[in-house]
Amino acid sequence: MVLSAEDKTNVKAVWDKAGGNIGAFGGEALDRMFLGFPTTKTYFSHFDLTPGSKDIQAQGKKVADALTLAVNHLDDLPGALSKLSDLHAHNLRVDPVNFKFLSHSLLVTLSSHLGNDFSPSYHASLDKFLSSVSTVLTSKYR
Amino acid sequence: MVHLTDAEKGLVNGLWGKINVDEVGGETLGRLLVVYPWTQRFFDSFGNLSSAAAIMDNPKVKAHGKKVLNSFSDGLKHLDDLKGTFAQLSELHCDKLHVDPENFRLLGNVLVVVLGHHLRAEFTPQAQAAFQKVVAGVANALAHKYH
């Protein structure tokens, strides 16, 4: 799957609209994921998993920052995310199915906050972007 | 069987009452076809699906989306027996329509995104979690008679 020029424009446009809220959106996406897909909590037994906890907010910001890095390097996702890819493959070893749960939760978060700015075309481009990021992060698993 | 708490049932029914089911149906099916274009394989007879705008405006997409979501609405009235409620539709989707059940999961998740889009802050993480259980239950029920 390849991100077209239009996809890249759309992803950047969504990120601009999210602006300074992207860190908070990361936290909300995690809240949504832990509630909607409880099996994902197994990777965070060391966290306070109460919705909105400081642990979740901090992790949400980490996730958002990594995605922002990706948005700024859409022409070379494998390069930009190489260290994170190593981390997920050799340390974290999060089962690949979970990337879909987080990606979905991010889409729901964005759709609920961006309203009319979350058009079907933006939705499609974001889904492709998150899927590409997930592929890169699981690319060194075996 | 779907296990929702009383609070979750309240959330689901309360929020469902606030949406225009026909409109959400059209939008959900439209977005499925835009975001996951391979799902267009089932709709060769629908005419112009050549762009996002064409898909979202397509009257056959809207009509079919309305049909699908009204059926889903019926399911919400029988959360204790989704398999029974969707038994015939399950057979139809397997034997006549030949639809991979993965598509039911895709549609369910697009519905969740659309609900977030329409309900905004009211579609809380708790509300989403309740709906995730419902869409998973409906998808499983529709896949139940496959052989």
Side-chain angles (χ1 to χ4, degrees):
Chain A
M1 167 186 16
V2 172
L3 292 177
S4 67
E6 192 191 323
D7 288 326
K8 292 176 187 176
T9 303
N10 289 347
V11 169
K12 287 179 187 167
V14 169
W15 234 250
D16 277 342
K17 292 190 204 292
N21 294 316
I22 203 71
F25 289 174
E28 183 180 325
L30 287 172
D31 280 339
R32 288 179 180 280
M33 184 184 75
F34 291 139
L35 277 167
F37 308 100
T39 51
T40 55
K41 294 188 293 186
T42 56
Y43 294 95
F44 294 95
S45 53
H46 54 296
F47 267 28
D48 168 8
L49 289 172
T50 321
S53 76
K54 288 206 160 66
D55 284 342
I56 295 180
Q57 281 175 35
Q59 184 69 14
K61 180 149 193 325
K62 257 190 193 171
V63 168
D65 286 345
L67 288 172
T68 300
L69 176 75
V71 170
N72 291 329
H73 293 89
L74 292 173
D75 292 332
D76 181 24
L77 288 177
L81 296 173
S82 181
K83 287 207 176 95
L84 267 179
S85 182
D86 287 334
L87 182 75
H88 282 78
H90 304 128
N91 294 58
L92 304 176
R93 291 169 292 184
V94 172
D95 189 287
V97 74
N98 296 287
F99 293 88
K100 286 192 185 183
F101 295 146
L102 180 57
S103 296
H104 171 67
S105 301
L106 277 160
L107 286 178
V108 178
T109 302
L110 289 167
S111 82
S112 72
H113 283 277
L114 299 180
N116 283 333
D117 289 330
F118 193 73
S119 66
S121 301
Y122 281 13
H123 178 171
S125 296
L126 268 172
D127 192 287
K128 282 175 77 176
F129 164 66
L130 292 171
S131 181
S132 301
V133 168
S134 303
T135 298
V136 169
L137 291 178
T138 54
S139 61
K140 300 182 193 178
Y141 270 45
R142 54 178 171 173
Chain B
M1 205 179 115
V2 169
H3 295 284
L4 271 77
T5 63
D6 286 341
E8 286 174 325
K9 283 180 190 168
L11 275 173
V12 168
N13 290 318
L15 291 175
W16 200 253
K18 294 188 176 189
I19 60 158
N20 179 328
V21 173
D22 292 348
E23 203 181 287
V24 167
E27 187 171 342
T28 300
L29 184 63
R31 281 179 184 256
L32 178 77
L33 299 174
V34 170
V35 178
Y36 308 108
W38 56 90
T39 57
Q40 293 170 26
R41 68 191 298 285
F42 301 107
F43 302 105
D44 279 342
S45 64
F46 272 28
N48 187 4
L49 298 177
S50 60
S51 68
I55 292 172
M56 300 310 290
D57 286 338
N58 184 310
K60 286 188 175 181
V61 171
K62 290 186 190 189
H64 195 66
K66 177 178 159 178
K67 198 178 175 184
V68 166
L69 213 65
N70 276 288
S71 176
F72 185 92
S73 241
D74 283 340
L76 289 183
K77 299 175 191 151
H78 300 96
L79 288 172
D80 293 335
D81 182 26
L82 288 175
K83 292 192 166 112
T85 304
F86 288 109
Q88 282 185 309
L89 272 175
S90 180
E91 283 172 3
L92 178 79
H93 282 77
C94 174
D95 299 332
K96 296 271 164 8
L97 304 176
H98 310 295
V99 176
D100 179 347
E102 179 59 25
N103 292 288
F104 308 142
R105 289 167 194 114
L106 285 177
L107 184 69
N109 278 333
V110 173
L111 173 60
V112 168
V113 172
V114 171
L115 288 173
H117 193 230
H118 280 245
L119 296 168
R120 311 297 294 276
E122 261 195 291
F123 198 62
T124 60
Q126 290 77 7
Q128 179 189 344
F131 270 99
Q132 295 291 168
K133 288 188 185 181
V134 173
V135 300
V138 171
N140 288 340
L142 278 170
H144 187 65
K145 292 284 195 177
Y146 272 57
H147 59 95

